[in-house]
């Protein structure tokens, strides 16, 4: 089984893409609803919560965990891979949602062997919309800069979006916030052309249509769920030890939360497109 971890249920947008790419693969999803939103937490808290979440998924029998939360991936992934994982859990691995999108932007493969053909050639200016900790971590500019130093990256934190999306606010209530964040990002460019944007938070694909309405025409919007799914399948082809090949029959994912399972099941269905019978995970 492959584990998928998020601070809440936004990561279901990623899980949905993973299931669509390999319906016969078993997935266990954990949302840390009791501690969400991570966007308002310190780096130390995000690190400790992410390690705990990964351990909980390992305890369910997952050999590989995907951090489907940009905030966890940006703040905690490198540190846990370098300082904790190999000593504590040799033979298991943790991947994040940042790398697939960085590969798509830079066209420099890491886990993906060949850059997706449907992307615009050589984006020179990339905008990243994300939570406050993700922006502060500098992970997107750092990882893009390592592979493609000539790509300009501008970032915009969008602190109001997750709470609005979580509470199920209508488009009319969310559009002004999206407008303000897009304007603020464009201002940073001072009139220079914007080639691509990353919706660098699991919740933002749910309001991708609002970003598309407000962004200048022709700006490419990179979809993290689809890129993550493609990247994971490539990774598993090269590392089959982390998961058996998908079976012929669709396998239903299992859903865990650290929060109120009934409330989460009700809210989360719209992120996934199917019923999501969450169970509360015990310590
Ligand atoms: N899932 C987080 C992310 O992708 C956003 C939600 C939160 O703030 O907890 O950045």
């Amino acid at each position: 089984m492959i584990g998928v971890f998020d601070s809440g249920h936004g990561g279901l947008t990623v899980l949905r893409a993973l299931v669509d790419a390999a319906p016969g693969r078993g997935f266990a999803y954990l949302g840390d609803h009791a501690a969400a939103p991570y966007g308002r937490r310190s780096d130390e808290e995000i690190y400790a919560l992410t390690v705990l979440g990964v351990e909980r998924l390992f305890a369910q029998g997952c050999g590989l965990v995907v951090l489907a939360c940009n905030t966890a991936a940006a703040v905690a992934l490198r540190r846990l891979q370098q300082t904790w994982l190999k000593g504590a859990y040799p033979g298991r691995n943790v991947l994040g949602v940042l790398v697939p999108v960085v590969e798509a932007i830079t066209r420099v493969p890491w886990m993906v062997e060949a850059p997706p053909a449907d992307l615009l050639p050589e984006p020179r200016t990339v905008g990243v919309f994300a939570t406050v900790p993700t922006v502060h971590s500098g992970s997107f500019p750092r990882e893009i800069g390592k592979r493609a130093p000539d790509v300009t990256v501008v970032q915009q934190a969008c602190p109001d979006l997750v709470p609005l999306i979580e509470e199920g606010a209508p488009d009319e209530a969310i559009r002004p916030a999206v407008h303000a964040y897009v304007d603020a990002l464009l201002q940073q460019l001072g009139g220079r052309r914007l080639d691509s944007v990353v919706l660098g938070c699991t919740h933002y694909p749910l309001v991708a249509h609002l970003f598309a309405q407000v962004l200048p025409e022709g700006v490419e919007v990179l979809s993290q769920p689809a890129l993550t799914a493609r990247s994971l399948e490539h990774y598993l082809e090269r590392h089959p030890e982390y998961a058996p090949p998908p079976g012929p029959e669709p396998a239903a994912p299992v859903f865990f939360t650290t929060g109120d399972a009934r409330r989460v099941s009700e809210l989360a269905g719209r992120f996934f497109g199917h019923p999501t019978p969450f169970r509360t995970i015990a310590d």
Side-chain angles (χ1 to χ4, degrees):
M1 224 169 21
I2 293 177
V4 178
F5 177 73
D6 184 42
S7 57
H9 42 267
L12 291 172
T13 55
V14 175
L15 178 66
R16 189 170 51 194
L18 300 185
V19 170
D20 287 350
R25 216 183 268 300
F27 290 98
Y29 182 90
L30 171 61
D32 191 8
H33 292 87
Y38 281 15
R40 292 188 181 150
R41 292 194 171 271
S42 69
D43 286 4
E44 280 307 314
E45 286 176 318
I46 293 165
Y47 178 75
L49 290 166
T50 303
V51 166
L52 186 60
V54 169
E55 284 194 305
R56 283 174 158 151
L57 284 165
F58 284 165
Q60 294 298 322
C62 299
L64 176 70
V65 171
V66 178
L67 300 182
C69 174
N70 288 271
T71 310
V75 173
L77 181 57
R78 235 155 71 116
R79 181 171 159 197
L80 74 78
Q81 280 175 334
Q82 286 172 358
T83 64
W84 169 75
L85 185 64
K86 284 196 173 57
Y89 291 96
R92 305 205 197 189
N93 205 4
V94 183
L95 306 173
V97 281
L98 249 82
V99 166
V101 82
V102 168
E103 289 172 340
I105 289 164
T106 60
R107 278 66 173 168
V108 178
W110 180 353
M111 289 180 227
V112 174
E113 304 288 358
D118 53 343
L119 298 179
L120 294 175
E122 301 194 354
R124 300 271 63 90
T125 307
V126 175
V128 176
F129 296 99
T131 64
V132 172
T134 298
V135 167
H136 281 173
S137 76
S139 291
F140 275 108
R142 186 176 55 242
E143 297 300 325
I144 293 168
K146 270 198 265 175
R147 296 169 181 77
D150 54 339
V151 171
T152 304
V153 183
V154 285
Q155 302 191 92
Q156 180 59 47
C158 310
D160 291 341
L161 286 190
V162 168
L164 282 167
I165 295 166
E166 284 277 332
E167 74 188 34
D171 281 2
E172 306 80 69
I174 302 176
R175 190 178 289 108
V178 170
H179 218 301
Y181 294 136
V182 169
D183 282 350
L185 184 125
L186 292 174
Q187 260 183 20
Q188 295 183 52
L189 286 172
R192 254 180 314 157
R193 198 179 115 92
L194 178 63
D195 294 300
S196 307
V197 297
V198 179
L199 303 185
C201 169
T202 49
H203 287 58
Y204 301 172
L206 291 170
V207 292
H209 58 291
L210 299 181
F211 277 96
Q213 285 166 17
V214 172
L215 282 163
E217 227 180 277
V219 176
E220 172 195 44
V221 179
L222 291 166
S223 159
Q224 259 188 324
L227 292 170
T228 305
R230 180 161 28 195
S231 192
L232 178 65
E233 288 307 311
H234 281 258
Y235 181 81
L236 290 173
E237 275 167 26
R238 287 185 292 123
H239 296 280
E241 67 274 21
Y242 285 117
E249 297 298 321
V254 287
F255 301 95
F256 298 102
T257 175
T258 57
D260 176 344
R262 218 177 64 174
R263 189 173 167 273
V264 169
S265 301
E266 276 167 22
L267 281 171
R270 73 192 182 96
F271 282 77
F272 196 56
H274 300 291
T276 49
F278 273 85
R279 276 182 275 160
T280 298
I281 202 160
D283 282 322

